[in-house]
Amino acid sequence: MSIKNRTKIKEALNSTELNRTITVKGWVRTRRGNKKIAFIALNDGSTINNIQVVADVPSFPDELLRHITTGASVSVTGKLAPSVGSGQNVEIHAENIELYGSADPASYPLQKKGHSLEFLREIAHLRPRTNTFGAIFRIRHTMSYAIHKYFNDKGFFYLHTPIITGSDAEGAGEMFRVTTLDMMNPPRTEDGKINYREDFFGKETNLTVSGQLEGELGALALSDIYTFGPTFRAENSNTPRHLAEFWMIEPEMAFYDINDNMDLAEDFLKFLTEFALGHCYDDLLFLNNMYDKELLDRLKSVTSTDFKRITYTEAIDILSSSGVKFEFPNSWGSDLQSEHERYLVERHFKKPVIITGYPKDIKAFYMKQNDDGKTVRAMDVLFPRIGEIVGGSQREDELLKLETRIKELGLPEKDLKWYLDTRRFGSVPHSGFGLGFERMMLFITGMSNIRDVMPFPRTPKNAEF
Ligand code: ATP
Ligand code: MN
């Protein structure tokens, strides 16, 4: 049901009850016809499909029809009738048309079909009205819902971790500062540094790069929690896979070891992919036909294949013996670049890959150390076309090892006191991971630039809209 007798176009198109009068409201996509009859394709965003409105031209005032052009907004009341020519089963025979707002054809930017994605990024305020972005944003909504459903059904609790953080243990150098100090005339300490004691929170604060550390506090009480919120990274990486503001899903589970963690990540990614295929088929089919003919096949293959699990050392061996000349050469100890990750996934194994046992020096301080003294129980999930989609680990649960590592790395120990308390009081083995929501959206939609799966993307030198 809907407000004031308005029927959403999705519901109207699925209707089997014909010859009744309904009202639909939306934006005109196209109008064609002649002096006697007009065919108006109307879309209200509820579905990628338009409903065809058929209007008998002489029964409507010229002054009204003149404004029924691409982009105009209207309310149409009329009979729902079987359709032969519109590509849909039903159409509306207009009895009354009301114009909300016209859209001057001389200046409305979305006139012709086939605008480039680059151009549409410049008009991000209007691009939701295109088929492509309507599809992407409907899928984005459905995926958000699926994430909550997945964890709720498994007994996880949604924990809201802070967006403003006072700890910079994780993202030193990559964080956005939050301050209310006067930039032109900040208070100074005696040695000339900025005096953050006078700032809003009485200390330096930043936007969070991850909710994990606080997520662990939740898991060590509620057992299984997840976060799903915005995260911010001031890394100056202008790539098709990085945003300065993105959304991350971070489950954290008490009593999970690294294998349980991998099982959960694999099951979760398969669930989301299956959910998209089951609930967004019209939109995915459109994206498949328009941009990426292998999209649907790729999605189906991920739901039905076991992810390959290898160690970092095995990955390095495969890369070294591949004979491929990579832009960034690697050897044991160096981080994998996206070209290496994609080689393993797309060319070597031809399926998603989970890598564990990374050198401790290229991973975060909180990861559980293996007995070899060199590697940690990290796990990265690598996906076709994306590279790293999930990063996670079993966490170090031994107080002494964690303290030693914090000292080795010179991290601000006093800022981590609350974190270390979890290892001091009732510490348990636990694990978790982070899924970048927009990386998942890239995979699901087949889009190749992360700017096209975020409604209003923030990237270096760009915070428009
Ligand atoms: P990358 O090496 O690709 O920069 P990362 O190792 O910095 O990723 P993590 O800190 O492990 O990533 O973050 C967890 C997940 O968040 C990543 O697996 C990825 O899906 C996502 N992610 C990380 N940085 C970004 C970003 N700048 N924009 C969008 N998603 C991101
Ligand atoms: Mn990064």
Side-chain angles (χ1 to χ4, degrees):
M1 279 320 295
S2 42
I3 48 151
K4 291 188 194 151
N5 302 323
R6 169 203 176 193
T7 303
K8 289 268 178 92
I9 289 173
K10 179 178 182 176
E11 188 192 327
L13 291 173
N14 287 333
S15 183
T16 47
E17 204 189 316
L18 300 187
N19 296 316
R20 61 193 172 106
T21 299
I22 63 166
T23 298
V24 292
K25 303 183 180 206
W27 293 265
V28 173
R29 280 296 170 81
T30 57
R31 171 181 162 188
R32 58 190 180 82
N34 52 40
K35 288 202 173 95
K36 288 201 190 111
I37 191 158
F39 299 102
I40 302 158
L42 197 68
N43 189 284
D44 66 1
S46 60
T47 158
I48 192 147
N49 299 307
N50 303 326
I51 196 161
Q52 171 160 280
V53 175
V54 184
D56 175 46
V57 172
S59 12
F60 293 92
D62 269 357
E63 177 52 27
L64 172 72
L65 290 186
R66 203 162 65 75
H67 291 294
I68 309 284
T69 56
T70 300
S73 47
V74 293
S75 171
V76 177
T77 301
K79 234 183 212 111
L80 199 58
S83 173
V84 271
S86 73
Q88 306 293 346
N89 294 329
V90 297
E91 60 190 21
I92 292 186
H93 295 168
E95 284 151 22
N96 186 44
I97 300 178
E98 190 191 325
L99 179 75
Y100 284 114
S102 57
D104 180 8
S107 50
Y108 185 59
L110 291 174
Q111 284 304 329
K112 7 179 234 304
K113 295 178 195 164
H115 292 300
S116 72
L117 293 169
E118 288 79 7
F119 171 73
L120 291 172
R121 262 172 237 150
E122 286 166 23
I123 52 162
H125 58 305
L126 292 171
R127 70 180 182 169
R129 294 191 190 181
T130 62
N131 282 333
T132 296
F133 287 92
I136 291 168
F137 299 147
R138 277 185 298 272
I139 295 170
R140 199 179 154 103
H141 159 79
T142 305
M143 288 294 94
S144 305
Y145 169 70
I147 287 159
H148 288 299
K149 175 171 169 49
Y150 180 83
F151 287 119
N152 182 64
D153 289 355
K154 280 197 139 46
F156 282 57
F157 299 104
Y158 181 24
L159 187 75
H160 295 93
T161 49
I163 290 171
I164 299 175
T165 168
S167 94
D168 67 349
E170 257 223 276
E174 292 194 347
M175 301 180 100
F176 290 100
R177 169 155 295 145
V178 176
T179 179
T180 54
L181 293 179
D182 178 1
M183 303 296 279
M184 297 301 280
N185 186 25
R188 304 269 178 191
T189 56
E190 276 172 13
D191 51 0
K193 294 202 177 114
I194 293 175
N195 186 0
Y196 287 103
R197 279 173 185 277
E198 289 190 30
D199 204 348
F200 189 91
F201 296 105
K203 61 186 288 196
E204 279 187 68
T205 51
N206 295 290
L207 293 177
T208 185
V209 296
S210 158
Q212 180 202 315
L213 299 187
E214 292 91 349
E216 286 185 52
L217 311 180
L220 291 175
L222 300 164
S223 279
D224 298 324
I225 65 93
Y226 69 104
T227 73
F228 183 8
T231 43
F232 306 85
R233 298 202 182 170
E235 50 192 352
N236 200 356
S237 33
N238 240 319
T239 80
R241 280 181 291 280
H242 288 90
L243 290 168
E245 174 180 304
F246 65 101
W247 287 64
M248 185 140 65
I249 301 104
E250 295 179 281
E252 192 70 36
M253 299 75 64
F255 314 110
Y256 271 51
D257 67 14
I258 186 73
N259 291 310
D260 303 323
N261 203 19
M262 285 191 273
D263 291 344
L264 183 76
E266 178 167 346
D267 186 62
F268 177 47
L269 293 168
K270 285 177 169 166
F271 173 86
L272 294 183
T273 309
E274 228 161 71
F275 201 91
L277 285 165
H279 294 79
C280 306
Y281 200 79
D282 285 356
D283 288 327
L284 290 174
L285 188 63
F286 170 81
L287 296 172
N288 184 89
N289 296 342
M290 189 76 178
Y291 296 100
D292 178 357
K293 296 279 185 298
E294 285 156 24
L295 176 62
L296 288 169
D297 287 342
R298 197 181 315 113
L299 296 183
K300 285 176 196 150
S301 91
V302 160
T303 64
S304 62
T305 187
D306 286 340
F307 296 4
K308 181 73 190 175
R309 300 180 183 191
I310 59 168
T311 64
Y312 169 87
T313 304
E314 288 167 330
I316 292 291
D317 287 346
I318 293 168
L319 293 168
S320 314
S321 51
S322 68
V324 177
K325 259 219 150 345
F326 293 107
E327 190 188 334
F328 297 93
N330 60 56
S331 57
W332 206 97
S334 62
D335 207 356
L336 300 179
Q337 303 293 325
S338 121
E339 55 170 344
H340 309 130
E341 298 174 340
R342 293 185 60 177
Y343 173 83
L344 293 167
V345 173
E346 290 164 23
R347 297 187 42 206
H348 191 82
F349 291 112
K350 300 190 166 53
K351 52 159 70 178
V353 175
I354 311 183
I355 303 186
T356 52
Y358 281 84
K360 70 172 184 199
D361 291 333
I362 58 171
K363 290 292 184 186
F365 73 94
Y366 49 70
M367 295 190 180
K368 177 132 190 95
Q369 296 164 36
N370 282 318
D371 294 335
D372 62 10
K374 290 192 304 189
T375 61
V376 288
R377 284 184 207 167
M379 58 160 221
D380 280 8
V381 183
L382 315 181
F383 256 38
R385 293 181 80 252
I386 313 294
E388 179 189 334
I389 195 162
V390 161
S393 66
Q394 184 172 338
R395 319 304 190 190
E396 184 55 78
D397 52 331
E398 287 180 52
L399 179 62
L400 193 64
K401 284 197 178 155
L402 198 53
E403 282 177 334
T404 309
R405 192 72 187 132
I406 287 171
K407 282 201 188 77
E408 269 170 22
L409 294 169
L411 295 171
E413 212 177 327
K414 65 169 182 10
D415 289 355
L416 287 167
K417 189 193 163 296
W418 50 268
Y419 182 72
L420 289 168
D421 267 358
T422 55
R423 276 54 169 183
R424 209 167 267 132
F425 310 121
S427 185
V428 302
H430 62 288
S431 299
F433 61 82
L435 167 67
F437 186 46
E438 287 73 24
R439 297 257 175 110
M440 187 62 188
M441 281 295 298
L442 280 177
F443 176 70
I444 297 286
T445 60
M447 289 286 114
S448 41
N449 193 313
I450 201 162
R451 293 163 181 77
D452 295 331
V453 295
M454 181 68 142
F456 304 102
R458 269 84 181 92
T459 49
K461 301 280 176 285
N462 173 40
E464 194 71 45
F465 310 108

